[in-house]
Amino acid sequence: MNIENRGAQGASEAAGLTEEIAAFVHDTKFDDVSTVAIENGKKSILDGLGLALSGSVAKSGELVRQHIADLGNIPGGATVIGSNLKVPARFAAFSNGVGIHADDYDDTQLAVAKDRVYGLLTHPTAPALPAALAMGETANASGADVMLAYHLGVEVECKIAEAINPRHYQEGFHATATCGTFAAASAAGRLLGLDIATMKRALSIAGSQSAGLRENFGTMTKPFHAGRSSESGVVAAQFASYGWTAAGNLLEAPRGFFKAAGGGYDEAAIKGKLGAPWTFEFPGVSIKPHPSGSLTHPGMTEMLRLIRENNIQAKDVVRVRVGTNSNMPNALIHHDPRNELQAKFSMEFCMAILLLEGRAGLSEFTDETVERADVKEMIKKVDFVVDDRAEAAGYHLMTTYIDIHLADGRTISGMADFGKGSPANPMSYDEVAQKFHECAEFAKWDKVKANEVVSMVSELEKLPEINGLMSLLRR
């Protein structure tokens, strides 16, 4: 059989990276996941559920539900969080993926290699969790089964993102969208019980659906990326289960994902590294204290500290200098934001709102706030520049230098590599629960239900089926 036929038929090739990933997804047991990873994963799961609730009341949530209505009567077994809808798994995965990423408030993978921009990597929960929840609810799976599927998805997604050449992100791909598709396929494939050969095909089908461009940052299409990657992974796993054919070496092949989307990859970053260690264990996953791009967070954490410790008043600020490495302005592209979505990718807005309000939560990231005269005036006082010291520190850090020049002639300065919520300064489960309640309140969610969700997620592995949790997230 010639090469073309082997690819077309999806016949067995010599064991390669795609097969290694498929075997990892198939073979791993719940007890194989480290205790540290399980506990950190619970925080990200709770965080994701809260964000799906708050995202359900965003304009994007309304439009997603309009799309579902336009599809006609499509009853199914999976919950659209924040609504009274139950739909087929693929549409629930899409809806909830959009919801989790709608406010850009979701968790973020940390980098290992110094050439990996912190924001180059992924928002791991937004593609993985909706797929695990949708397939788990449809199958009446247990809490432990859904947790394992979620962890497998996150692990595959993060290791692929760490391995692909940095060109992938730097030249325009959105890694949450591209690598997230493999996360969702892994989670859904595990819950469907796919064997290794079928899982290889699911990953290959997922790779052909992998897409998402960073030019859409600051618009509704950024969370669309997360939703579509989750949906695409579910579809990939389902089609593979039907017997749909696909290549068996899609990731590592000369015309496969890594080569086409990044120009290559670092095999040492992924081969033999799945679950060794788990990403949730090292280097960790960062949970956001503010609904803005993760690259803003070290500066925001440090700015808050400087404001509080020095009693800085907005009226006394003459000029603010914020210095970072050159890759951070590559993502934080909106220097004069015109709406809330652009403000999430504006270092200038994030610094300005903290100086004016002393906080930056869901209520501060609104179109009305962005258009305020005092906000626009403060934004003009913020200089966002490349700093040689930050550049030298490496792109795996988010090193941020701040100099606040005051009317009395003083300059208040500070520096941070990471923000609150990172493994270097982690949130406790109780702190994540506080954020969950903020999101639930923003969605006007029943407080009794919200309290039950917090309690249930803390012992998620003990749930005999996931449906009880999902019922608390429906209206």
Side-chain angles (χ1 to χ4, degrees), residues 41-112:
K42 286 178 183 177
K43 291 191 285 188
S44 279
I45 290 170
L46 180 63
D47 189 52
L49 296 177
L51 295 169
L53 286 175
S54 61
S56 73
V57 300
K59 182 66 175 179
S60 56
E62 174 190 334
L63 298 180
V64 166
R65 291 189 294 276
Q66 179 181 327
H67 174 65
I68 290 173
D70 287 347
L71 294 173
N73 184 23
I74 49 166
T79 296
V80 175
I81 293 173
S83 78
N84 60 0
L85 298 172
K86 291 190 76 172
V87 297
R90 65 178 294 179
F91 298 118
F94 173 72
S95 303
N96 297 331
V98 171
I100 290 173
H101 203 45
D103 290 305
D104 225 284
Y105 207 1
D106 46 324
D107 60 3
T108 309
Q109 175 191 1
L110 273 73
V112 176

Side-chain angles (χ1 to χ4, degrees), residues 409-431:
R410 289 183 300 152
T411 298
I412 307 296
S413 300
M415 184 277 286
D417 289 325
F418 295 107
K420 176 65 177 175
S422 71
N425 186 10
M427 289 187 186
S428 66
Y429 188 83
D430 287 343
E431 287 176 317

Side-chain angles (χ1 to χ4, degrees), residues 15-50:
L17 181 60
T18 305
E19 181 159 340
E20 181 176 328
I21 293 172
F24 170 75
V25 173
H26 176 271
D27 294 345
T28 304
K29 301 177 178 60
F30 185 85
D31 289 344
D32 295 329
V33 186
S34 73
T35 301
V36 171
I38 289 292
E39 294 308 310
N40 285 336
K42 286 178 183 177
K43 291 191 285 188
S44 279
I45 290 170
L46 180 63
D47 189 52
L49 296 177

Side-chain angles (χ1 to χ4, degrees), residues 277-351:
W278 292 89
T279 296
F280 267 118
E281 187 170 2
F282 176 82
V285 171
S286 183
I287 294 178
K288 290 186 175 183
H290 308 290
S292 57
S294 58
L295 295 173
T296 66
H297 286 190
M300 294 177 80
T301 297
E302 184 64 6
M303 176 61 84
L304 270 178
R305 185 186 72 81
L306 294 174
I307 290 170
R308 291 167 179 170
E309 290 186 3
N310 296 279
N311 192 29
I312 296 172
Q313 304 296 311
K315 62 182 177 59
D316 298 327
V317 174
V318 175
R319 178 68 51 190
V320 177
R321 180 188 185 274
V322 182
T324 68
N325 68 54
S326 59
N327 274 292
M328 289 169 70
N330 193 27
L332 303 176
I333 59 178
H334 295 288
H335 306 295
D336 183 21
R338 303 303 172 89
N339 57 54
E340 63 165 301
L341 294 175
Q342 291 182 359
K344 294 174 183 297
F345 296 91
S346 172
M347 182 70 84
E348 294 88 343
F349 173 85
C350 292
M351 297 293 103

